[in-house]
């Protein structure tokens, strides 16, 4: 079973994440941050990874710890669920349009965290949500999931569309990368023999 449940507790947040890599994209995400729940739902739906998130964070301060720590927990759960990465396609990429926004994601489940984030969100807020937290989430996901992740905005005017296109493009790329390749299902996808 390529699935994992993880609980991560600190003085700032308590987060439980369940992922099933071989799911259908079902989701039940409740973090107390409405826009972030909407983005996590996109991540699940378009990666076809089943995802349940329960986060209780220090939202009386701001949304930062909750968003960052949810990224850490999802990254750790993803890495654990992938195990030795036997049979996976490893790489994924997606060029995703959403109205005015066009975002490209390319990723490698390499075990080597690296984030290139070339996305300009034109407003400081989406509703009550701080737009700078979108990058914080993907930085945490990359670091703790061991993902080389490039996200580039090619065009965009509306912050909601740009953020959502980023989550959807990463989701779609992740779908390809975590999928088992039936032509090489028993092998680790590296000439080094390990990832
Ligand atoms: Mn939306």
């Amino acid at each position: 079973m390529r699935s994992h449940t993880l609980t991560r507790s600190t003085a700032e947040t308590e987060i439980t994440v369940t992922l099933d890599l071989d799911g259908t994209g079902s989701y039940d995400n409740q973090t107390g941050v409405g826009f972030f729940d909407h983005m996590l739902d996109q991540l699940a739906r378009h990666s076809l990874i089943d995802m349940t998130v329960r986060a209780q964070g220090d939202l009386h301060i701001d949304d930062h710890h909750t968003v960052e720590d949810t990224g850490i927990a999802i990254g750790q759960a993803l890495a654990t669920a992938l195990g030795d990465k036997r049979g996976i396609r490893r790489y994924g990429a997606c060029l995703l349009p959403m109205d005015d926004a066009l975002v490209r994601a390319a990723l490698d489940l390499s075990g080597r965290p690296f984030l290139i984030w070339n996305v300009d969100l034109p407003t400081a807020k989406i509703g009550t949500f701080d737009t700078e937290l979108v990058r914080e989430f993907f930085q945490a996901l990359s670091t703790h999931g061991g993902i080389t992740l490039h996200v580039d905005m090619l065009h965009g005017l509306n912050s909601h569309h740009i953020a959502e296109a980023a989550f959807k493009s990463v989701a779609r790329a992740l779908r390809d990368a975590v999928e088992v390749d039936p032509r090489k299902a028993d092998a680790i996808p590296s000439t080094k023999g390990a990832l």
Side-chain angles (χ1 to χ4, degrees), residues 30-123:
Q30 297 177 29
T31 67
V33 182
F35 181 75
F36 186 44
D37 290 348
H38 179 42
M39 294 299 101
L40 293 176
D41 293 350
Q42 304 303 328
L43 189 60
R45 173 64 185 83
H46 294 285
S47 66
L48 301 186
I49 294 172
D50 291 346
M51 180 182 297
T52 302
V53 176
R54 290 289 182 278
Q56 292 214 313
D58 51 2
L59 300 179
H60 60 286
I61 297 175
D62 67 5
D63 300 344
H64 192 117
H65 302 140
T66 299
V67 172
E68 181 178 23
D69 292 1
T70 298
I72 292 171
I74 291 174
Q76 290 175 339
L78 179 68
T80 303
L82 281 167
D84 68 1
K85 303 178 184 170
R86 189 171 301 275
I88 64 168
R89 295 188 190 274
R90 178 179 166 181
Y91 300 99
C94 177
L95 180 63
L96 191 131
M98 181 171 176
D99 299 345
D100 53 283
L102 181 63
V103 175
R104 180 180 63 210
L107 62 86
D108 177 8
L109 299 175
S110 57
R112 298 193 302 277
F114 206 103
L115 177 69
I116 297 291
W117 180 256
N118 180 29
V119 178
D120 288 320
L121 291 149
T123 60

Side-chain angles (χ1 to χ4, degrees), residues 134-149:
V134 178
R135 185 190 186 283
E136 293 301 308
F137 173 80
F138 285 112
Q139 178 69 73
L141 181 71
S142 167
T143 299
H144 294 271
I147 304 168
T148 301
L149 175 61

